[in-house]
Each structure stands twice: as C-alpha cells, then as structure tokens.
Amino acid sequence: MRYTFCVEKLLECVAAALRDYKGKKLAIGVSGGRDSVCLLHAASTCGAVEKRDILAVHVNHGLREEADSDEDFVKEYCNALNVKFVAYKADVKKESEQKGLTVEQAARNVRYGIFNNLLSSGEADVILTAHHALDNAESVLMHMFRGSGLDGLCGMNGGRVLRPFLNVYPDEIDRYAQEHGIKFVTDKTNFMLDADRNFIRLKVIPLIEERYPSAVHAVNALSVESAGIKNYLDGELDSCLITVDGGAVVLSELALISPLADRYVRRAVSYFTLTDLTRDMVTSAVALADKKSGAKAEMSCGVIAEKESGGIAFYIPREKYCGEKSIALGANYIDGLAIDVQKTACAKPGKGNTVDLNAIEGGMLRFRRDGDMFTPFGGASKKLKQYLIDKKIPRRLRDRIPLITKGNEVLVIVGVEISDKVKVGADTREVAVITRRF
C-alpha cells in the first residue's frame, strides 16, 4: 500500500516529540539502517534540540559479517553530522543460548538493557528509536498470534522510549531519504523469513492488505486505544499488593483473586523484562494461588513465578555459590554480599545478631549445604532446612542467606538468628555484632 507523503512530516514529527526536551540529553539508537539514520538526520536538523545534546548509540550485535562495517558507517555519518557517537559490542548469540530466547528477543533485551543503563546513569534523559507505523502494526499482530493480552495490543505505544516515527510509514521515510540524499546500510537478515517479525512484514501484512487496504492503519488505531485502556487499568492497581523483596517481586494473594489479576502479574514481570507475556503464562501464574508452596510456573525471559506463603514471587533464578571464606573482624564479602563483624561493648545475651566473638573464631562464611545442622537460640538442634521451613523463609531466599559455620554446624544465620552455641554468656570475654549490609 502507498501512503501520502509530505517532506516536512518527518521533521514535524520529530520536532513535536522533542518539544519538551530542549536542553536535555538525547540518546538515539542508530543501527545504520534507513529508519534510524533518517531519525538521526531529522533530530539533528529539525531545530528542536542542539546537536551537542545528541548521542548516537550503536549496538554491534556481532551476528553478521557486516556488523563491524555497519558500526564504522554509523561512526563516519555521526562525524559528518558533528554528533557524538558511542558503540557497544554484545554477544547476542550467547545471550540467546543462555536464556533460551530467540536471537531477535535476545538482541532486543541487550539493546534496551543498554538504553536503561544510559538513563539510570544520567548519560541520557530520553531514548529515541526509529520504529515506525508498520513496525508497530507488526508488533501488535505478532503479539496477538503468540497469545498476548492487552499489553500486546498496545504495541510500541507508551514506555520511557520516544518513537517520533510511530505515525510515519516506510514509503514516507524512503522519500525523506531520497529528498535529503541520505545513505544507509541494508541488513540482509531483515529479509529472512525465519524471524517472526520478518514473516509478518513480508508475508502476512501484504496478504491482508490485498483484502483490507487500510488494515495497518486500523491495527495502529486499535493499538492507541488499547494503550489508553491499559493505562487506566494499571492506574487502578493497588501498589500495596506489590512488594519488592530479596531480588523478587511478590504479589499478595489478594492481587491474584482480584478482577485485575492478569494486570498484577504483568506488572510484576515488567520489573524484569519488557517482553510481553502470553495469555497462557499469565493464566499459569494466577493458578499458583490455589497450589502448595513451592509450585512454580515459567514466565518469559527466564522469570519464574513461585507460590509462597501469602503470595506469588516472581524472580530470575541464579546459580548457587558453592565457595566459602574465613570469617574475620570488619567487612566480609561473599558472592556480592557484605557481612560486617564488629566488636561491641554490649555483653547482654540476646537473639538475632549478638555473639560470643571467641565462639565464631575459625568459622567459615558460606551458603547452605546438605546436612547442615542448627541449634536455634534457646532451642534444640535440628536440620537447617527444617528450621528455614519453620521460619517460613521462601525457598528462593534459602540459598542466598549467608551462614557462619564450623563443619556442618551453623553458628549464625546472618540476619535471621544465632545458634545457642555462640550466645553471649557469663564467660564471654568479647562480644561481636554481625550484620548484613544491603
């Protein structure tokens, strides 16, 4: 289908999108392809922002022979425009294999991970990408076919990324490039049908448009309407039912029995990934509310949903650290955690974190292992596993609680309890307080 074109439309779209960002730092994703190069050109010439505030960001995915030459092309073009340039290299294939994602999904996660880092570090105030109207329609259809919910129907509308071309069609970008003599590179993988997006763009949409010429416009209109509905429903969510705990997002059981249960699940997973969930994934997470603690369901991008006492936790599992270190006065570090052991003048016996310093001398700092035993303060010896279960400590946290041990005897469960064997007593000469720094 052909679309009407006005050479000023692209400049007007970019200027309108940047109207409130004068003086802000802009990071523009530039692959070297037609769309992103035209966006960079339009942003640097529309007059809405100063060139010195623009940073062109190129992500070299390392997937094609031409990857390095594409990077060089973008760098040279930025030099010609007098725009700052930065390139990032990523092993997308490795990311794909490690997380069980398609190469397309892994590449997207890598790019947005870089964009988010630029925003959080203050190197950029806003991110711009060159996604256009046809890209948005492709996304909506792809999400529908995969079984997504309302979020999928929103397509690319919303979020922290500006997409000035979202109402611009490919023919219009082609004409803009011709009018301004803009050169660009062509990614041959865009024509390979094994990628879902390519299949929809090259096969599905042309076939639909033969019967329904305005189909893409209609899909994009539905996308905008869906985004409005989504924002309204998300505004109705009770933030008190969503908590962040120990690297996980936990939904209260009340969230899972509400009419907005699916919205709560999608909100929880959005803390980890922007990839849309399928309807089956959401249903399996909500169903955990009626199952026993420990029951799990797989979400997208490696996120796991697990039933716990009082709710459902969403998290990305990490490999268990099996090393150990000798405990010492001062700061002790293990697998990214910091444990402080400090002398104190207090000699009053008590639960929690106050111990006889001599009793832990020669102890090792590590995480739990099979066969570990623990004698709670004022209690009898039992298996550490049983103690943690009795304390209702979630399974996902049990392998991440630092322990001070001697052999298989646990002397301190840092931040939880001390063993009766290291409590302060009448014969104690030195007292220490053990805390975990967050």
Side-chain angles (χ1 to χ4, degrees):
M1 179 176 180
R2 307 295 293 180
Y3 304 100
T4 58
F5 173 75
C6 170
V7 71
E8 300 300 324
K9 178 178 178 179
L10 271 70
L11 291 174
E12 291 172 356
C13 287
V14 174
L18 298 179
R19 187 172 293 123
D20 297 328
Y21 292 94
K22 193 170 185 64
K24 301 291 186 180
K25 292 175 285 187
L26 314 180
I28 302 179
V30 185
S31 66
R34 177 201 61 191
D35 306 335
S36 62
V37 172
C38 286
L39 173 61
L40 180 60
H41 180 275
S44 63
T45 58
C46 70
V49 294
E50 302 290 340
K51 283 188 179 182
R52 65 173 178 268
D53 294 325
I54 297 175
L55 173 66
V57 180
H58 178 81
V59 181
N60 185 333
H61 298 122
L63 294 172
R64 299 177 294 112
E65 293 181 2
E66 305 88 353
D68 290 340
S69 62
D70 288 357
E71 179 181 326
D72 292 338
F73 169 83
V74 177
K75 182 177 181 180
E76 292 173 7
Y77 187 67
C78 290
N79 288 337
L81 288 178
N82 195 27
V83 168
K84 289 176 290 186
F85 166 83
V86 64
Y88 295 88
K89 290 187 183 294
D91 191 341
V92 170
K93 186 175 180 181
K94 181 179 179 181
E95 178 83 2
S96 170
E97 293 171 350
Q98 288 181 339
K99 296 187 177 179
L101 305 172
T102 66
V103 170
E104 184 182 23
Q105 290 171 329
R108 181 180 185 277
N109 286 351
V110 166
R111 289 194 301 274
Y112 280 90
I114 290 170
F115 292 157
N116 287 333
N117 287 338
L118 289 171
L119 291 171
S120 60
S121 68
E123 295 177 71
D125 296 312
V126 64
I127 303 295
L128 277 73
T129 66
H131 294 108
H132 50 64
L134 189 57
D135 289 326
N136 187 64
E138 291 164 9
S139 293
V140 172
L141 293 175
M142 184 168 61
H143 293 158
M144 286 175 56
F145 299 152
R146 287 176 175 170
S148 77
L150 181 60
D151 287 31
L153 292 182
C154 297
M156 297 176 175
N157 288 285
R160 301 178 67 187
V161 175
L162 283 184
R163 298 181 174 91
F165 287 173
L166 217 53
N167 292 316
V168 177
Y169 287 83
D171 282 7
E172 296 173 312
I173 301 177
D174 274 337
R175 289 286 301 280
Y176 183 87
Q178 293 169 12
E179 292 282 343
H180 293 279
I182 296 173
K183 295 182 179 179
F184 50 86
V185 299
T186 300
D187 183 349
K188 291 182 291 187
T189 63
N190 287 337
F191 302 95
M192 297 173 62
L193 295 178
D194 56 341
D196 291 346
R197 182 176 292 277
N198 293 350
F199 177 75
I200 290 173
R201 181 178 66 253
L202 300 173
K203 292 291 186 180
V204 176
I205 289 180
L207 185 60
I208 293 174
E209 286 189 323
E210 286 182 11
R211 179 63 63 93
Y212 304 102
S214 298
V216 172
H217 288 283
V219 170
N220 285 328
L222 174 63
S223 174
V224 173
E225 184 176 344
S226 298
I229 296 171
K230 171 187 174 295
N231 292 337
Y232 172 80
L233 292 177
D234 285 349
E236 296 296 304
L237 299 183
D238 184 350
S239 60
C240 293
L241 302 182
I242 309 173
T243 58
V244 178
D245 171 52
V249 178
V250 182
L251 292 183
S252 164
E253 287 185 343
L254 291 177
L256 298 170
I257 61 174
S258 80
L260 297 176
D262 64 326
R263 301 303 317 151
Y264 280 107
V265 170
R266 293 178 189 278
R267 171 69 66 84
V269 176
S270 72
Y271 280 76
F272 304 97
T273 175
L274 297 175
T275 302
D276 188 40
L277 299 179
T278 66
R279 188 172 289 104
D280 287 344
M281 290 176 182
V282 174
T283 300
S284 65
V286 173
L288 291 175
D290 297 323
K291 297 185 178 180
K292 295 181 179 179
S293 291
K296 298 179 181 180
E298 293 186 7
M299 302 291 100
S300 62
C301 297
V303 179
I304 295 295
E306 182 174 352
K307 174 66 181 294
E308 296 180 354
S309 176
I312 307 293
F314 297 82
Y315 64 96
I316 296 178
R318 57 178 294 164
E319 291 186 11
K320 184 176 179 179
Y321 181 84
C322 297
E324 61 181 15
K325 298 181 178 181
S326 297
I327 195 72
L329 278 173
N332 298 263
Y333 299 94
I334 184 168
D335 199 25
L337 303 179
I339 291 84
D340 285 329
V341 180
Q342 302 292 342
K343 288 185 179 181
T344 179
C346 173
K348 181 179 179 181
K351 301 176 63 176
N353 62 355
T354 305
V355 303
D356 183 327
L357 181 57
N358 293 329
I360 65 168
E361 283 185 357
M364 304 299 292
L365 182 64
R366 62 172 174 82
F367 298 102
R368 71 169 180 155
R369 296 173 182 168
D370 290 342
D372 282 342
M373 300 297 295
F374 181 60
T375 305
F377 184 94
S381 178
K382 62 172 65 177
K383 291 181 179 180
L384 175 64
K385 177 180 179 180
Q386 188 58 52
Y387 174 81
L388 297 177
I389 292 173
D390 293 344
K391 291 286 288 185
K392 298 188 184 303
I393 293 175
R395 186 183 311 215
R396 61 185 163 82
L397 296 178
R398 296 173 198 167
D399 288 333
R400 290 292 294 162
I401 301 176
L403 308 174
I404 297 176
T405 66
K406 286 185 178 179
N408 71 340
E409 185 68 35
V410 176
L411 305 179
V412 181
I413 306 174
V414 180
V416 179
E417 184 58 280
I418 65 169
S419 168
D420 198 68
K421 297 181 179 182
V422 298
K423 68 183 178 183
V424 174
D427 298 330
T428 298
R429 297 190 303 275
E430 293 181 297
V431 179
V433 174
I434 301 173
T435 55
R436 172 178 167 179
R437 268 193 279 140
F438 292 92

